[in-house]
Amino acid sequence: VPNLQGPRYISPAPNGGFVVSEECGDVKVFTSSRKLLCSLSSKYGHQFGNPAGVCIDVEGSILVADEQRRTVHLFPEHGSPVCLVSTGLRRPVGMSCSTFGHLFVADAGENCVKVFKYRVRPP
């Protein structure tokens, strides 16, 4: 996949595609045939500081850790972005989601992994 602006983190998507965070401040979504589906900045009108870790949850929502803003946002397939974590992170980088609604965030600023629950019920 050419023409990325400082690709950083990547996550597979359920449809065979993938999501890539870029150092320049955007997150791009690609189809299984490696075609650009959308840019999260454009689709949602969201301004990233420095997007880092990305993952996809069981509902197909994209989660993005913003290293500069020290936040984690959820981008649903339909609807507006939701800020899941706005405090308690010093330098969020890599992340992963569990099927039970747990979000694991590697916080390089505190040399630890932080665990958040963002769903009330498992799928």
Side-chain angles (χ1 to χ4, degrees):
V1 177
N3 302 318
L4 293 171
Q5 302 297 313
R8 299 187 72 203
Y9 293 84
I10 187 166
S11 178
N15 61 3
F18 57 97
V19 177
V20 180
S21 62
E22 294 180 306
E23 207 167 17
C24 71
D26 204 354
V27 176
K28 293 186 175 165
V29 182
F30 291 87
T31 65
S32 59
S33 59
R34 299 178 302 281
K35 301 284 185 215
L36 179 64
L37 184 62
C38 72
S39 147
L40 294 188
S41 293
S42 298
K43 180 177 179 179
Y44 294 93
H46 183 84
Q47 286 279 85
F48 292 101
N50 190 13
V54 291
C55 63
I56 312 287
D57 70 8
V58 294
E59 294 176 353
S61 296
I62 300 168
L63 286 81
V64 180
D66 194 318
E67 191 173 359
Q68 182 181 3
R69 297 203 169 142
R70 301 176 182 178
T71 59
V72 173
H73 277 79
L74 178 142
F75 296 85
E77 195 170 343
H78 304 288
S80 300
V82 176
C83 184
L84 294 180
V85 183
S86 60
T87 59
L89 296 173
R90 284 190 48 209
R91 196 172 142 225
V93 285
M95 14 184 242
S96 183
C97 304
S98 79
T99 55
F100 294 99
H102 289 97
L103 173 65
F104 303 93
V105 181
D107 190 335
E110 293 189 21
N111 296 314
C112 66
V113 172
K114 296 181 178 176
V115 182
F116 301 92
K117 185 163 181 65
Y118 70 99
R119 291 187 49 149
V120 178
R121 296 172 273 137

